[in-house]
């Protein structure tokens, strides 16, 4: 079964554009549903709150790695074999780099949007 590879087939070292399916943002777990947050526990033990925050961060990171792995595998693997050829290796490197760049861009844009909304709200209350 052959899969469409886009830029990965055009030549060795070609950039692979990657857009994450679901951005992982602070306060969310990337699936559209927020994980239980430490703030939602009210007066719970601070040590328990910290544990939940750490576990939630681990979950977000694992989900991001899973998304990246699935996406890059689909884009870069023609036929699995005992060795990774240089074309596939280059494709994987480019794919991971683009995924990270795109995720960072989305997070930065969301932070900027949130800051501008906060500044706008503050100016209205003055």
């Amino acid at each position: 079964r052959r899969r469409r590879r886009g830029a990965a087939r055009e030549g060795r070292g070609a950039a692979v554009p990657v857009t994450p399916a679901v951005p992982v943002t602070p306060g969310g777990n990337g699936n559209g549903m927020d994980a239980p947050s430490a703030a939602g526990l009210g007066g719970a033990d601070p040590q328990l709150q910290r544990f939940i925050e750490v576990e939630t961060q681990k979950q977000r990171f694992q989900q991001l790695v899973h998304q990246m792995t699935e996406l890059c595998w689909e884009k870069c693997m023609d036929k699995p074999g005992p060795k990774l050829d240089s074309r596939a290796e280059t494709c994987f490197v480019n794919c991971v780099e683009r995924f990270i760049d795109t995720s960072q861009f989305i997070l930065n844009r969301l932070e900027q949007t949130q800051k501008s909304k906060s500044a706008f709200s503050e100016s209205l209350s003055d």
Side-chain angles (χ1 to χ4, degrees):
R1 185 175 132 200
R2 298 199 71 98
R3 294 183 181 116
R4 191 168 159 234
R5 300 283 181 275
R9 289 192 173 231
E10 291 176 13
R12 195 172 173 158
V16 178
V18 176
T19 304
V22 179
V24 177
T25 59
N29 62 10
N31 66 5
M33 298 174 63
D34 289 341
S37 67
L41 295 176
D45 179 21
Q47 204 170 15
L48 176 61
Q49 289 178 354
R50 180 66 187 139
F51 174 78
I52 291 173
E53 287 174 4
V54 168
E55 291 302 310
T56 302
Q57 286 177 329
K58 286 180 188 176
Q59 178 188 11
R60 288 182 194 139
F61 180 75
Q62 288 172 343
Q63 186 172 14
L64 186 64
V65 169
H66 176 73
Q67 286 175 336
M68 180 182 60
T69 302
E70 185 175 347
L71 185 69
C72 293
W73 182 269
E74 289 295 318
K75 287 190 174 296
C76 299
M77 282 306 292
D78 280 330
K79 51 188 177 207
K83 288 179 89 174
L84 193 62
D85 65 12
S86 62
R87 187 210 60 81
E89 186 175 349
T90 300
C91 180
F92 275 115
V93 168
N94 286 330
C95 183
V96 170
E97 288 176 355
R98 296 302 71 80
F99 189 93
I100 292 169
D101 290 346
T102 302
S103 296
Q104 189 63 47
F105 175 81
I106 290 169
L107 287 174
N108 289 339
R109 182 58 63 102
L110 289 171
E111 286 176 7
Q112 289 173 355
T113 303
Q114 193 167 13
K115 285 178 185 176
S116 66
K117 284 181 181 180
S118 295
F120 180 71
S121 296
E122 288 176 11
S123 68
L124 289 177
S125 63
D126 289 343

